[in-house]
């Protein structure tokens, strides 16, 4: 070492011949490191007289080694939608690798929003993972203004400045509709997600794009909004059938809405897929247990959660850069189409 520059995690990693993640795991007591790598990292720390960033920051900022997973939804929504359970599994698994505690915070009203703001202001958490982001939600902006590291599940719009991890929502939706067109369906309806969310707009954009690509007119009367819940899927399916009884397929922007649509089709004696083919989005555990099993677009929800947590850990421990990542999706064909 030359001069008075304090050694960094990069310096230790270079001296030990390992990656920065390995150094972080050793510093945080993770078991996911080989004995040889641990010995080399510890030797480099001793030789360089390295003080881990997390310790140094803790002396100055009262670092808590805890992050908040903030979900602005009700308990019933949290419990009923498989997306949230899979995301939490991914987040908690990745945070365990770095010895970071996870605080789950539901923000359902102004009082809980104020509580979150107080936790941020008093630095009771080192960063925030934010899920279910709506376009007009002021929370991401507030967190940014307060200087708290934040990673979003999804994004507010195409110009998002914060770190986020997203699925290829438009591409996945387009693949679903191409599949239906390829099966000879010509009146393909869609039950959309909320249009104040990028995920809802992107999946609708994919529906439009696949029609345009095939040179097929996208009939606006075949679009009905939902809110990702089962009830909204059933309600939307009923309205679509009343308005366009000749439809022969439906792309639902979530598996739960597809489940609601299947129930309504059964109620109206429409056979799936003979009369109406159905495709969902997510490939949740529900998709394999519907009748018939649901064709759906698989998005890697647990990987999304793990990636969010790793980005946030890199920012809080290593002053890592902001990152914006889009994960690929995959069509899973089952009997509903």
């Amino acid at each position: 070492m030359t001069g008075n520059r304090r050694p960094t995690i990069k310096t230790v990693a270079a001296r030990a011949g390992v990656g920065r993640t390995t150094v972080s795991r050793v510093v945080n007591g993770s078991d996911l490191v080989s004995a040889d790598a641990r010995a080399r990292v510890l030797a480099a720390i001793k030789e360089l007289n390295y003080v881990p960033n997390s310790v140094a920051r803790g002396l100055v900022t009262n670092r808590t080694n805890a992050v908040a997973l903030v979900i602005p939804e009700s308990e019933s929504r949290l419990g009923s939608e498989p997306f949230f359970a899979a995301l939490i599994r991914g987040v908690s698994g990745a945070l365990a690798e770095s010895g970071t505690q996870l605080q789950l915070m539901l923000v359902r009203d102004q009082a809980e929003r104020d509580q979150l703001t107080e936790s941020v202001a008093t630095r009771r958490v080192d960063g925030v993972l934010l899920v279910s982001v709506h376009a007009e939600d002021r929370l991401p902006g507030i967190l940014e203004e307060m200087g708290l590291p934040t990673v979003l599940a999804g994004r507010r719009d195409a110009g998002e400045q914060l770190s986020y991890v997203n699925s290829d929502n438009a591409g996945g939706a387009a693949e679903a509709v191409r599949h239906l067109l390829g099966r000879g369906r010509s009146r393909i309806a869609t039950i959309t997600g909320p249009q104040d969310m990028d995920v809802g707009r992107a999946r609708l954009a994919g529906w439009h794009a696949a029609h345009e690509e095939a040179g097929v007119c996208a009939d606006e009367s075949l679009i009905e909004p939902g809110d990702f819940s089962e009830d909204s899927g059933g309600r939307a399916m009923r309205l679509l059938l009343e308005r366009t009884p000749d439809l022969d397929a439906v792309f639902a922007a979530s598996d739960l809405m597809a489940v609601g649509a299947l129930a309504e089709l059964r109620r109206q004696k429409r056979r799936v897929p003979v009369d109406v083919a159905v495709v969902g989005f997510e490939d949740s555990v529900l998709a394999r247990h519907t009748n018939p099993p649901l064709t759906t677009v698989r998005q890697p929800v647990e990987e999304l959660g793990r990636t969010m947590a790793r980005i946030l850990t890199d920012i809080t421990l290593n002053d890592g850069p902001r990152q914006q990542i889009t994960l690929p999706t995959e069509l899973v064909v089952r009997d509903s189409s």
Side-chain angles (χ1 to χ4, degrees):
M1 294 294 295
T2 59
N4 296 319
R5 288 187 62 192
R6 184 169 65 86
T8 67
I9 194 169
K10 292 181 182 178
T11 316
V12 175
R15 181 65 59 91
V18 299
R20 287 188 301 166
T21 300
T22 300
V23 178
S24 292
R25 287 173 177 172
V26 172
V27 167
N28 289 285
S30 171
D31 293 326
L32 301 175
V33 181
S34 70
D36 176 64
R38 186 183 305 279
R40 283 187 283 134
V41 170
L42 292 174
I45 287 172
K46 182 177 180 180
E47 181 182 349
L48 296 170
N49 195 25
Y50 170 70
V51 178
N53 281 353
S54 56
V55 175
R57 275 202 207 101
L59 295 173
V60 177
T61 64
N62 296 317
R63 179 175 164 78
T64 64
N65 287 314
V67 301
L69 175 60
V70 179
I71 303 177
E73 300 287 356
S74 65
E75 295 103 323
S76 61
R77 195 72 173 266
L78 184 66
S80 65
E81 295 194 19
F83 172 86
F84 294 118
L87 186 83
I88 292 169
R89 284 196 301 273
V91 167
S92 60
L95 290 179
E97 296 176 8
S98 63
T100 304
Q101 293 181 327
L102 176 63
Q103 297 181 13
L104 178 61
M105 303 181 72
L106 301 184
V107 178
R108 296 156 292 192
D109 54 32
Q110 188 58 46
E112 291 179 341
R113 184 178 294 269
D114 292 342
Q115 182 182 2
L116 171 62
T117 303
E118 181 186 353
S119 293
V120 170
T122 56
R123 287 300 193 264
R124 291 203 285 270
V125 293
D126 299 321
V128 169
L129 302 165
L130 185 56
V131 184
S132 279
V133 183
H134 294 258
E136 300 305 317
D137 191 347
R138 294 180 57 247
L139 191 53
I142 292 171
L143 296 171
E144 185 173 27
E145 289 169 10
M146 300 180 81
L148 193 75
T150 302
V151 181
L152 309 180
R155 60 187 187 180
R156 287 169 289 183
D157 53 49
E160 182 62 71
Q161 296 299 306
L162 294 175
S163 292
Y164 67 77
V165 184
N166 203 15
S167 294
D168 182 8
N169 294 301
E175 187 176 8
V177 176
R178 281 195 293 268
H179 165 73
L180 291 167
L181 289 167
R183 292 288 173 95
R185 308 293 167 151
S186 59
R187 296 282 287 162
I188 304 171
T190 184
I191 302 173
T192 76
Q195 294 302 288
D196 67 338
M197 299 179 73
D198 180 77
V199 59
R201 295 191 300 273
R203 291 177 188 176
L204 177 58
W207 178 86
H208 276 289
H211 280 87
E212 183 177 351
E213 175 187 297
V216 176
C217 177
D219 185 345
E220 299 295 313
S221 69
L222 291 168
I223 301 172
E224 187 63 34
D227 63 7
F228 291 138
S229 70
E230 182 177 350
D231 286 346
S232 75
R235 181 172 59 253
M237 191 73 255
R238 184 176 66 254
L239 292 172
L240 284 166
L241 289 170
E242 289 174 359
R243 188 165 66 239
T244 54
D246 62 337
L247 67 84
D248 58 8
V250 60
F251 164 61
S254 78
D255 285 354
L256 263 182
M257 293 196 299
V259 168
L262 286 169
E264 181 62 24
L265 288 166
R266 278 195 302 273
R267 193 182 72 81
Q268 298 206 26
K269 304 296 191 293
R270 299 289 188 104
R271 297 167 297 169
V272 176
V274 177
D275 300 323
V276 180
V278 179
V279 178
F281 201 114
E282 188 181 332
D283 195 29
S284 65
V285 66
L286 297 173
R288 296 184 292 278
H289 300 291
T290 57
N291 182 23
L294 182 66
T295 294
T296 184
V297 178
R298 176 180 294 154
Q299 63 170 344
V301 181
E302 284 196 40
E303 180 59 29
L304 190 150
R306 283 192 295 270
T307 306
M308 289 176 66
R310 287 168 182 159
I311 291 173
L312 187 61
T313 299
D314 189 40
I315 294 171
T316 58
L317 287 180
N318 308 321
D319 292 322
R322 291 185 179 183
Q323 297 184 51
Q324 299 182 336
I325 295 175
T326 299
L327 301 176
T329 57
E330 175 190 4
L331 184 69
V332 179
V333 178
R334 298 192 179 96
D335 294 343
S336 69
S337 64

